[in-house]
Amino acid sequence: MAVCGIDFGTSNSSIGILRDGAPFVVPLDKGPASPSALFFRTDGQPLFGRAAIAAYTEGEQGRFMRALKSMLGHSALASTTMINRKRVPFSDIITHYLRYLKQAGEAAAGEELTSVVLGRPVSYVDGDPEADADAESAMETIARKAGFRDVAFVFEPVAAAEAHSGSLAPGDTVLVVDLGGGTADFSLLRQETAGAAPRILGNAGVHVGGTDIDYRLNVDFLMPLMGCGGEMEDAFRSKVLPIPKWYFLDLATWQKIPLMYDGKIRTQLREIRALALEPEKIERFIAVLDQHDGHRLAGDAEAAKIALSDLDATRVDLDYVEPGLAVDIARAAYEASAAPLIERMVASSLSLLSDLGEDPAHVDTILMTGGTSQVPQIQRGFREAYPNAAMQMEDLFATVCTGLTVKAATAFG
């Protein structure tokens, strides 16, 4: 029986196997993780990871999907999308991606992988235990459809802690901060004796991650160019009304973008264009839908976020929407937009400590992992909340997977 650990993430995913008894994270796309992206060619063959992104950005005909993990726990998972003139359930699309990870692990292991420990956020759905349980059950069904016989789950920050088993100083209190594309998860640990696994005092999480920051940037800075916040006349041209905002919000949400390409939505937008006070902006929105450029627009928002980690300002060029169209974004404006989301992340970690009766001033170390932890504004927020803690940046894309693989060896013997 061969075992593995899979960190299926909103933005990136990885798989680990045991090699000579030790955890080994399988190289994907020449690195420890692969973007959680799929592209279905017109011949029906799917591409994964960076190959999927390349096919989409290079203009190949087909359907692009990303951030599908965010559908877990929501009714959209049971819905379908059109791929090559066929209705395909979103759950089947996730199965395709999980099967890709499994096959990559089997190629590295040289044998079939039958058992998996999957990482999961502390909460798939905030404040709804029933929906959270349904999300885990759906993910287990997907894993079995992908070919696994034995399936277990471990909280992602607990897995990150497992990767550090025995490496901390006795008496240390450690906060594990796992910031991914879709969630922020936390575990508080205490290293009681040298060489032993740290004791997990508690876990918490909130459904806020890197894609939420991308979304906010998209809505606040890019979508106004497409008509967001604009006005239109009513059908009798007797009064002025706000243009419904949900169109723009959904096009800025990674997992909802494929649903926006429905022909009925474009029909509605053409009616809105006829009544809009700035019809040229709605025309841009329609052009994005016609060209299936929703993910490209979201990718531009993500790229701007990354650029603003180092720059005081950045320009987003949108020539593919309209020649010469662009917007300049200042870091100060971006950080003001992202601030409420980051405050929610920090507040969730502080709530965990409060529930446990622990003092933030007594946290010795913060272990940060996950791609979103690279955002400087986030690092500042946690440094301010935990003034006496040393911040340790972990292997951003392999730590959780390593811990899941260790857990798999234990869980399945």
Side-chain angles (χ1 to χ4, degrees):
M1 178 173 63
V3 305
C4 66
I6 289 181
D7 180 14
F8 173 53
T10 302
S11 299
N12 296 281
S13 297
S14 53
I15 181 168
I17 60 173
L18 291 175
R19 180 168 285 182
D20 298 326
F24 172 76
V25 178
V26 177
L28 299 170
D29 282 340
K30 300 180 180 179
S34 176
S36 303
L38 301 91
F39 183 87
F40 289 90
R41 288 173 157 162
T42 54
D43 63 4
Q45 292 302 309
L47 298 174
F48 303 94
R50 287 185 175 83
I53 295 173
Y56 173 68
T57 56
E58 290 168 8
E60 183 175 341
Q61 293 298 306
R63 288 297 308 276
F64 182 70
M65 306 279 176
R66 198 171 182 185
L68 290 163
K69 181 181 179 181
S70 298
M71 289 188 167
L72 293 167
H74 298 278
S75 58
L77 184 67
S79 64
T80 62
T81 188
M82 191 70 74
I83 297 177
N84 296 325
R85 300 182 181 180
K86 293 182 180 179
R87 284 282 171 187
V88 180
F90 283 103
S91 58
D92 286 357
I93 296 170
I94 298 176
T95 301
H96 274 293
Y97 188 81
L98 212 64
R99 191 175 292 125
Y100 152 70
L101 294 176
K102 182 176 186 287
Q103 290 170 350
E106 289 170 343
E111 59 181 324
E112 181 187 6
L113 298 175
T114 59
S115 306
V116 62
V117 170
L118 288 163
R120 58 150 293 168
V122 173
S123 176
Y124 281 110
V125 184
D126 293 342
D128 191 336
E130 183 176 347
D132 188 78
D134 288 344
E136 182 176 294
S137 176
M139 192 62 204
E140 179 177 352
T141 299
I142 288 168
R144 294 189 186 281
K145 287 177 66 177
F148 291 107
R149 295 199 294 270
D150 306 303
V151 182
F153 291 87
V154 169
F155 288 150
E156 288 154 1
V158 172
E162 183 66 46
H164 288 274
S165 181
S167 65
L168 304 170
D172 274 2
T173 300
V174 181
L175 178 68
V176 179
V177 178
D178 178 20
L179 305 180
T183 58
D185 295 295
F186 312 97
S187 288
L188 191 68
L189 320 174
R190 183 158 293 137
Q191 185 69 45
E192 295 181 331
T193 58
R199 181 162 65 94
I200 298 171
L201 304 180
N203 305 291
V206 62
H207 208 269
V208 178
T211 56
D212 297 283
I213 297 175
D214 302 341
Y215 163 88
R216 194 70 266 160
L217 192 153
N218 198 340
V219 169
D220 290 349
F221 300 101
L222 305 188
M223 286 298 164
L225 300 175
M226 315 293 160
C228 185
E231 296 179 318
M232 59 184 286
E233 295 179 302
D234 69 355
F236 302 101
R237 298 190 183 276
S238 60
K239 58 182 177 180
V240 173
L241 305 169
I243 295 173
K245 202 168 184 178
W246 74 265
Y247 293 104
F248 309 98
L249 303 185
D250 280 12
L251 191 65
T253 304
W254 280 103
Q255 67 271 23
K256 292 183 179 180
I257 292 171
L259 304 176
M260 291 297 293
Y261 298 140
D262 190 302
K264 294 178 182 177
I265 289 178
R266 272 174 278 185
T267 298
Q268 295 166 14
L269 286 164
R270 284 191 286 269
E271 294 171 355
I272 290 172
R273 178 183 57 191
L275 299 169
L277 301 189
E278 296 178 291
E280 71 280 2
K281 292 186 176 181
I282 303 302
E283 183 63 35
R284 294 168 185 164
F285 193 94
I286 294 171
V288 170
L289 298 183
D290 285 343
Q291 297 160 188
H292 285 200
D293 275 334
H295 284 101
R296 187 171 182 179
L297 199 66
D300 283 340
E302 181 183 26
K305 174 189 71 177
I306 294 169
L308 289 167
S309 294
D310 300 313
L311 304 174
D312 291 332
T314 190
R315 167 165 286 201
V316 180
D317 292 312
L318 300 168
D319 282 328
Y320 58 91
V321 179
E322 179 184 292
L325 186 65
V327 61
D328 293 312
I329 305 173
R331 181 195 283 184
Y334 151 70
E335 290 193 345
S337 175
L341 299 172
I342 294 170
E343 289 166 4
R344 284 183 62 194
M345 294 179 186
V346 176
S348 178
S349 73
L350 291 171
S351 179
L352 169 63
L353 268 73
S354 176
D355 291 345
L356 296 172
E358 298 286 339
D359 187 342
H362 295 159
V363 173
D364 301 294
T365 304
I366 297 176
L367 297 179
M368 298 198 73
T369 189
T372 303
S373 63
Q374 297 174 93
V375 176
Q377 186 181 3
I378 291 176
Q379 296 174 16
R380 292 199 304 271
F382 280 94
R383 284 194 176 99
E384 291 169 3
Y386 300 92
N388 299 322
M391 184 171 288
Q392 184 174 332
M393 300 297 293
E394 292 303 292
D395 187 328
L396 300 180
F397 301 108
T399 299
V400 170
C401 188
T402 297
L404 292 171
T405 307
V406 172
K407 287 288 190 182
T410 304
F412 303 116

